[in-house]
Short mmCIF file of all heavy atoms in Angstrom, two decimals:
data_model
loop_
_atom_site.label_atom_id
_atom_site.label_comp_id
_atom_site.label_asym_id
_atom_site.label_seq_id
_atom_site.Cartn_x
_atom_site.Cartn_y
_atom_site.Cartn_z
N ILE A 175 18.63 70.84 -56.97
CA ILE A 175 19.52 70.98 -58.16
C ILE A 175 18.84 71.87 -59.23
O ILE A 175 19.49 72.75 -59.80
CB ILE A 175 19.93 69.58 -58.72
CG1 ILE A 175 20.86 68.93 -57.71
CG2 ILE A 175 20.57 69.67 -60.10
CD1 ILE A 175 21.16 67.48 -58.02
N LEU A 178 18.81 75.47 -58.05
CA LEU A 178 20.09 76.06 -58.11
C LEU A 178 20.61 76.31 -59.52
O LEU A 178 21.36 77.31 -59.80
CB LEU A 178 21.21 75.18 -57.37
CG LEU A 178 21.01 75.06 -55.89
CD1 LEU A 178 22.01 74.09 -55.26
CD2 LEU A 178 21.30 76.47 -55.23
N CYS A 179 20.27 75.36 -60.38
CA CYS A 179 20.79 75.44 -61.73
C CYS A 179 19.88 76.15 -62.71
O CYS A 179 20.23 76.31 -63.90
CB CYS A 179 21.00 74.07 -62.30
SG CYS A 179 22.29 73.09 -61.30
N LYS A 182 20.99 78.59 -65.80
CA LYS A 182 22.39 78.42 -66.10
C LYS A 182 22.45 77.70 -67.51
O LYS A 182 21.69 76.75 -67.76
CB LYS A 182 23.18 77.60 -65.11
CG LYS A 182 23.20 78.33 -63.82
CD LYS A 182 24.34 77.81 -62.94
CE LYS A 182 24.40 78.70 -61.67
NZ LYS A 182 25.52 78.48 -60.97
N ASN A 184 25.45 76.35 -68.97
CA ASN A 184 26.48 75.27 -69.06
C ASN A 184 25.91 73.95 -68.36
O ASN A 184 24.86 74.08 -67.72
CB ASN A 184 27.78 75.63 -68.42
CG ASN A 184 27.66 75.87 -66.95
OD1 ASN A 184 26.70 75.57 -66.25
ND2 ASN A 184 28.75 76.44 -66.31
N HIS A 185 26.56 72.87 -68.64
CA HIS A 185 26.05 71.63 -68.19
C HIS A 185 26.52 71.22 -66.81
O HIS A 185 26.20 70.23 -66.23
CB HIS A 185 26.38 70.51 -69.18
CG HIS A 185 25.70 70.70 -70.53
ND1 HIS A 185 24.41 70.60 -70.65
CD2 HIS A 185 26.17 71.13 -71.75
CE1 HIS A 185 24.01 70.83 -71.96
NE2 HIS A 185 25.16 71.20 -72.57
N ARG A 186 27.41 72.06 -66.25
CA ARG A 186 27.93 71.83 -64.89
C ARG A 186 27.34 72.80 -63.97
O ARG A 186 27.51 74.00 -64.31
CB ARG A 186 29.42 71.78 -64.91
CG ARG A 186 29.92 70.61 -65.82
CD ARG A 186 31.36 70.46 -65.62
NE ARG A 186 31.41 69.26 -64.69
CZ ARG A 186 32.52 68.97 -64.08
NH1 ARG A 186 33.59 69.61 -64.24
NH2 ARG A 186 32.50 67.95 -63.30
N CYS A 187 26.84 72.42 -62.86
CA CYS A 187 26.18 73.34 -61.99
C CYS A 187 26.80 73.09 -60.59
O CYS A 187 26.96 71.99 -60.20
CB CYS A 187 24.72 73.16 -61.99
SG CYS A 187 23.86 74.04 -60.73
N GLY A 188 26.96 74.18 -59.83
CA GLY A 188 27.38 74.04 -58.43
C GLY A 188 28.79 73.62 -58.29
O GLY A 188 29.41 73.27 -57.48
#
Side-chain angles (χ1 to χ4, degrees):
I175 291 168
L178 290 174
C179 297
K182 296 198 176 196
N184 65 10
H185 296 291
R186 300 191 95 193
C187 170

